Amino acid sequence: MSKSTDDTASGKSGILDGVRVLDLSTFVTGGFASLMLANQGAEVIKIERPEAGDDNRHSGPPFVDVDGYDGPGKTAAERGESPYFWTVNYDKKSVELNLKTDEGLEVLYDLVSEADVFIENYRPGTAERLGVGYDDLRARNDRLVYCSISAFGDSGPWSDRPGYDLLVQGMSGIMDVTGPEGGGPVKVGLPQTDLITGMWAAFGIMGALYRRESTGEGERVELGMLDAALPWLTKQAGKTFAGEKPERMGTKDPVLAPYQVYPTADGHLSVASANQKLWTELCEAIDRPDLLDDPRFASNADRVENMDELEVELSETFRQRPTDEWVELLADERGLPVGPVYNVDEALHNEQVEARNVLSTADHPAAGEIPVVEHPLNFENAASGFEEAPPLLGEDTEPLLRELGYTDEDIETLRSVGAIPGE
């Protein structure tokens, strides 16, 4: 059972119940922002290109084969469902709309008139050329919260450049401090700056909705991916501000020690002794009191200065036992912050994740039961969580048109002019 289903059964409502979001973005930045809003009860409507849809529908392989369903795209691989797409689009609706037709644009304006939030991630200037810029839509709904996401923002010498997560990871300094010591720049193994930007966008939208409650005014929230990534540099930025050059350190930390991964007899162990008390307790627990008397390791500053020597000492000790034994001794018995290094499957399937109901399922209209990764926010008095599977391309087009008052004849006219796909 999902968190949302459980909360609904107890009579709770979502914080954003009654909020309607129109999401014209593709890929991950805007999609993750609207996903966060959907998790809190908002109705999210994806406006997608006819026949093609969100580019993320085509991200793969892998694709999940679906018998009897001819998904978007022309190749055999694309005639299935992308599980990557699923993870960013739970609990949303899909409307296929050709915004390059006057009729399609009018449908969008009808949706905007009843919407609370609008999200787009066009390159600066494109939304205005399409007739869906902030001023275009504010004229039809002055309470609208309009969110613009781009790679570099709508000002500055790089504003016209296209950009994706890979570029922004490189240009934000993230790659410069990621990877093994002495090695080349390494991309974080997930779309980090996409997700960072999506979280900032959702945060900004929530703030604008809160302000609207007191002022009655809509708002434009504008952000660039590069801007969104820079505040996350934190300790690396701090070293730069002090005139030092951050470097790639593998799993080591620039300002804490021991705070890294060590080899064990059968795998790896993360050890996070972030203060002097934890350092003392760790040395006692692993029967290394000699380290407490070593002047090289007397304080955290000393340990940071001598972390290579410290790594040698601790690696020698941790290699003497398998990971599970260390976790039991140090985490379970002593309450110290250590843990195993899981692969992705282990991270998704373990007793803690199961106890917290982080992984649930939903009934997909074509693929059957699919996994759902829940979001972490839990409220005492409000519902949160996902209820529905990601939508098939365009599956909500006709129902939403009818909700807006369009008749069978109107819908047929939209088909005939190419505003929506034919049957």
Side-chain angles (χ1 to χ4, degrees), residues 34-342:
S34 64
L35 183 72
M36 293 178 67
L37 304 178
N39 187 263
Q40 301 308 313
E43 177 192 26
V44 177
I45 302 169
K46 289 178 64 66
I47 308 298
E48 303 192 65
R49 294 168 298 166
E51 307 298 335
D54 184 343
D55 288 326
N56 214 23
R57 289 185 182 272
H58 308 276
S59 294
F63 294 97
V64 175
D65 293 333
V66 179
D67 293 337
Y69 169 59
D70 186 11
K74 304 299 182 183
T75 68
E78 290 174 321
R79 288 197 296 270
E81 285 281 291
S82 167
Y84 179 25
F85 172 82
W86 291 347
T87 64
V88 188
N89 289 285
Y90 305 123
D91 243 6
K92 299 182 185 180
K93 297 177 179 178
S94 172
V95 170
E96 291 177 277
L97 210 53
N98 185 354
L99 299 182
K100 294 183 179 179
T101 66
D102 292 340
E103 293 82 1
L105 200 55
E106 284 301 322
V107 173
L108 181 71
Y109 291 156
D110 287 340
L111 287 167
V112 165
S113 68
E114 298 184 3
D116 298 283
V117 177
F118 183 93
I119 301 173
E120 55 91 0
N121 66 343
Y122 296 117
R123 205 181 303 186
T126 301
E128 288 73 17
R129 288 195 296 273
L130 288 172
V132 297
Y134 176 54
D135 290 337
D136 298 306
L137 302 191
R138 182 175 59 173
R140 290 163 173 81
N141 182 351
D142 61 5
R143 288 175 52 83
L144 188 69
V145 173
Y146 185 110
C147 181
S148 298
I149 303 170
S150 60
F152 301 104
D154 66 3
S155 60
W158 299 345
S159 61
D160 289 336
R161 291 186 186 180
Y164 290 92
D165 172 72
L166 175 67
L167 277 67
V168 178
Q169 284 204 34
M171 298 175 75
S172 65
I174 291 174
M175 285 192 192
D176 188 51
V177 296
T178 303
E181 296 177 71
V186 173
K187 174 184 174 294
V188 176
L190 40 92
Q192 186 175 46
T193 65
D194 282 334
L195 302 173
I196 288 171
T197 305
M199 294 183 75
W200 279 120
F203 178 71
I205 289 166
M206 291 286 279
L209 288 172
Y210 178 77
R211 178 180 180 274
R212 192 182 71 171
E213 288 300 300
S214 60
T215 67
E217 297 175 342
E219 181 62 272
R220 182 177 182 234
V221 181
E222 185 271 330
L223 70 162
M225 293 175 65
L226 181 60
D227 301 345
L230 294 179
W232 289 52
L233 291 176
T234 57
K235 61 185 67 176
Q236 286 80 8
K239 288 181 74 71
T240 298
F241 297 155
E244 300 180 16
K245 182 183 183 301
E247 297 178 348
R248 283 180 284 280
M249 304 178 67
T251 67
K252 295 187 180 76
D253 187 88
V255 297
L256 296 170
Y259 198 92
Q260 68 180 89
V261 172
Y262 295 94
T264 65
D266 65 349
H268 294 87
L269 185 74
S270 296
V271 178
S273 293
N275 59 44
Q276 197 66 15
K277 178 175 180 291
L278 291 173
W279 164 245
T280 300
E281 292 175 353
L282 175 69
C283 292
E284 293 170 349
I286 64 175
D287 197 23
R288 291 296 306 271
D290 57 300
L291 297 178
L292 295 175
D293 297 327
D294 193 319
R296 296 175 300 171
F297 312 134
S299 68
N300 179 72
D302 295 319
R303 293 190 293 275
V304 169
E305 289 289 339
N306 298 286
M307 65 171 62
D308 289 342
E309 293 91 336
L310 179 62
E311 181 178 32
V312 171
E313 295 286 349
L314 291 180
S315 294
E316 178 182 341
T317 296
F318 287 125
R319 282 195 180 99
Q320 296 173 8
R321 297 191 187 190
T323 301
D324 286 348
E325 286 189 18
W326 284 121
V327 171
E328 182 177 0
L329 171 65
L330 301 178
D332 296 337
E333 295 179 13
R334 299 295 187 100
L336 293 172
V338 305
V341 177
Y342 282 153

